Amino acid sequence: MKTELVTKAYEVAKERYAAIGVDTEKVLEQMQNFHLSMHCWQADDVAGFENQGGSLTGGIQVNGNYPGKARNIDELRTDILYAKSLIPGTHRLNLHEIYGDFGGKYVDRDQCEVEHFQSWIDWGKENNTLLDFNSTSFSHAKSGDLSLANPDKGIRDFWIEHSKRCRAISEAIGKAQGDPCIMNTWVHDGSKDLTVNRLMYRELLKDSLDQIFAQKYDNMKDCVESKVFGIGLESYTVGSNDFYTAYAAKNNMMITLDTGHFHPTESVADKVSAMLLFVPELMLHVSRPVRWDSDHVTIMDDPTMDLFSEIVRAGALDRVHYGLDYFDGTLNRIGAYVIGSRAAQKCMLRALLEPLATLRKYELEDKKFQRLALLEECKNMPWNAVYDEFCVRNNVPVGEEYLAAVEKYEAEVTSKR
Ligand SMILES: C[C@H](O)[C@H](O)[C@@H](O)C(=O)CO
Ligand SMILES: [Mn+2]
């Protein structure tokens, strides 16, 4: 696309926004400081490099067998860097423990060490990419239906040890990169059918978490992720939303809001202002549920736009971390990264371009018609010209131009796998 065309459209947009009191240059600066934490697991359908040949378990599922998924650490890194080259701005990478550099050996989950992530730390430095981390309770012989809430002490201790080691790894990553590494704890623990022991499992989970989080660190931050249900674990989830909201509030910890982990009609956007009054920060797992937690690729849909608007309206840009979490094996996986990342950025951009001062003035003056009218007109404002300008300034393809770039990589790289 001709840069002059984009610039021309941006200049018009700039004037239109200035007329409603919005400074697009300031917003573009804010967008430059808006960093996603891209999930490493879209590149290989959550397989990882543990080398034990098992299948994906733990209540999650990937559908599709689109050719060209990353088969090893080098392919995964190359794919992620290519995806990043098509997304404006600078972004973090969110690793799961099973993506360690295990050198072809089988390293069990209770044996993982910082050394298995040293090459990731080096890669992050070389590629200007800060890292986040996740413990991994799924896809293991000891995963079963229960990990940290397992009444079997041996299994529970195994997962407690794993989680403690993951926190130590996160601390080392955070220290090395000079920026806190955010570690997410999500365990799938639950029950397919009726259980008469809801309290006992939750007591066990609470006790496990207390043991895991007893050690205090300076260079990592913890977050805990709830879920409404898992596949094959439909009747009960130990780490429900109520459980983790209470746990995080009591322990002054960060909560992870996965947009696919709530009842379909529940507004995740509405949780932002409620939770931020009681927990220090939020981590997002931006996904797209379709009927169930199906982890479809993020798009610019109403729930995602609402979510980002609520963050901006709450003045909470710096209290939220912006992880993505979807895994779709039915389409080009690099394309999936680009679509989802750009969609999240567009939702944030639209939120930042809202004439909030005017809208709030209308609301306080009880001008309901004016408030609604302006909210409606915002949808028609030329926000897309601002996004295009953001792409130009970051030297990445504008608009649909990235399709050709993804196709080229497919032809030259992934189709040859
Ligand atoms: C792979 C992730 O850890 C996983 O998706 C988790 O965050 C989740 O959302 C499970 O439904
Ligand atoms: Mn998640």
Side-chain angles (χ1 to χ4, degrees):
M1 195 169 304
K2 286 210 176 83
T3 309
E4 311 88 73
L5 211 64
V6 174
T7 310
K8 225 168 159 183
Y10 172 67
E11 288 306 325
V12 174
K14 191 173 166 182
E15 267 188 52
R16 290 278 313 273
Y17 276 107
I20 57 168
V22 175
D23 178 353
T24 53
E25 285 298 317
K26 185 175 161 227
V27 169
L28 282 170
E29 238 175 84
Q30 289 175 301
M31 286 298 293
Q32 213 64 54
N33 292 322
F34 169 55
H35 310 291
L36 298 166
S37 185
M38 290 168 63
H39 53 316
C40 72
W41 49 94
Q42 165 61 38
D44 73 338
D45 305 345
V46 210
F49 311 123
E50 213 175 34
N51 207 14
Q52 59 164 0
S55 52
L56 182 59
T57 68
I60 50 178
Q61 200 174 68
V62 180
N63 297 117
N65 201 17
Y66 196 84
K69 76 172 173 185
R71 296 164 300 182
N72 54 50
I73 206 161
D74 291 333
E75 289 181 356
L76 186 112
R77 286 174 179 163
T78 313
D79 287 358
I80 285 169
L81 286 180
Y82 192 73
K84 285 182 81 176
S85 75
L86 303 177
I87 301 162
T90 47
H91 303 289
R92 304 172 73 98
L93 183 69
N94 200 3
L95 289 174
H96 246 285
E97 186 273 342
I98 49 171
Y99 287 79
D101 192 348
F102 302 119
K105 289 194 225 86
Y106 177 61
V107 176
D108 209 351
R109 307 269 173 99
D110 65 342
Q111 297 300 316
C112 56
E113 307 261 12
V114 178
E115 65 178 86
H116 303 121
F117 294 88
Q118 189 55 52
S119 75
W120 274 115
I121 294 173
D122 300 340
W123 179 89
K125 277 198 179 147
E126 277 157 30
N127 295 290
N128 191 25
T129 301
L130 298 171
L131 303 173
D132 294 317
F133 204 70
N134 298 257
S135 53
T136 311
S137 68
F138 50 84
S139 306
H140 184 277
K142 290 195 171 81
S143 295
D145 290 350
L146 296 162
S147 60
L148 290 177
N150 203 309
D152 179 325
K153 187 168 178 327
I155 294 182
R156 191 159 82 94
D157 285 348
F158 174 87
W159 291 112
I160 292 173
E161 179 63 24
H162 169 70
S163 307
K164 285 183 176 173
R165 283 171 179 257
C166 286
R167 290 187 75 231
I169 293 166
S170 303
E171 169 69 9
I173 293 175
K175 198 163 181 200
Q177 67 190 13
D179 192 83
C181 171
I182 316 272
M183 184 184 132
N184 185 50
T185 296
W186 169 72
V187 293
H188 54 278
D189 296 35
S191 174
K192 178 179 172 65
D193 215 328
L194 306 179
T195 166
V196 292
N197 274 315
R198 284 172 188 263
L199 178 63
M200 180 193 71
Y201 298 123
R202 289 192 170 130
E203 278 171 343
L204 288 170
L205 179 57
K206 179 183 174 298
D207 180 70
S208 296
L209 296 173
D210 289 347
Q211 290 186 49
I212 292 164
F213 298 134
Q215 166 90 45
K216 299 295 165 213
Y217 286 117
D218 294 331
N219 299 289
M220 59 90 62
K221 294 181 183 180
D222 290 291
C223 46
V224 283
E225 179 181 10
S226 72
K227 187 163 180 173
V228 67
F229 81 98
I231 304 162
L233 301 165
E234 291 87 359
S235 299
Y236 168 69
T237 301
V238 188
S240 60
N241 182 43
D242 307 71
F243 176 91
Y244 277 124
T245 304
Y247 190 87
K250 189 161 183 197
N251 294 286
N252 200 31
M253 282 176 68
M254 203 187 305
I255 282 193
T256 301
L257 288 174
D258 185 312
T259 56
H261 284 192
F262 297 90
H263 288 283
T265 55
E266 207 171 341
S267 163
V268 180
D270 190 42
K271 297 179 191 302
V272 171
S273 52
M275 287 183 165
L276 279 177
L277 288 174
F278 302 99
V279 297
E281 291 173 288
L282 295 175
M283 167 56 111
L284 300 183
H285 274 188
V286 186
S287 183
R288 177 164 51 107
V290 178
R291 298 197 186 278
W292 54 283
D293 169 36
S294 51
D295 298 290
H296 284 60
V297 180
T298 298
I299 57 170
M300 234 189 133
D301 54 10
D302 286 347
T304 317
M305 285 195 284
D306 288 348
L307 174 61
F308 284 94
S309 294
E310 277 307 307
I311 293 166
V312 173
R313 290 170 190 167
L317 282 176
D318 297 335
R319 290 178 67 199
V320 179
H321 305 271
Y322 302 91
L324 302 174
D325 183 13
Y326 51 82
F327 24 100
D328 190 339
T330 66
L331 74 173
N332 183 301
R333 294 174 184 80
I334 285 100
Y337 273 126
V338 184
I339 294 171
S341 305
R342 284 182 172 231
Q345 287 183 317
K346 290 173 193 168
C347 291
M348 177 54 93
L349 176 70
R350 274 193 53 165
L352 290 168
L353 288 169
E354 190 172 74
L356 196 51
T358 311
L359 286 162
R360 287 199 163 139
K361 185 170 160 289
Y362 286 153
E363 184 160 320
L364 288 180
E365 290 167 357
D366 203 23
K367 291 184 171 164
K368 294 191 176 73
F369 147 71
Q370 290 85 340
R371 181 187 59 189
L372 189 59
L374 189 51
L375 280 169
E376 275 302 283
E377 287 312 312
C378 283
K379 296 174 183 167
N380 280 358
M381 290 290 288
W383 60 269
N384 47 354
V386 184
Y387 189 76
D388 289 348
E389 176 69 12
F390 182 50
C391 289
V392 165
R393 290 189 191 187
N394 281 275
N395 237 339
V396 302
V398 173
E400 74 288 351
E401 275 175 356
Y402 77 79
L403 270 75
V406 170
E407 282 169 0
K408 183 167 181 284
Y409 188 76
E410 177 166 38
E412 289 172 4
V413 182
T414 54
S415 67
K416 305 214 163 112
R417 287 179 185 160

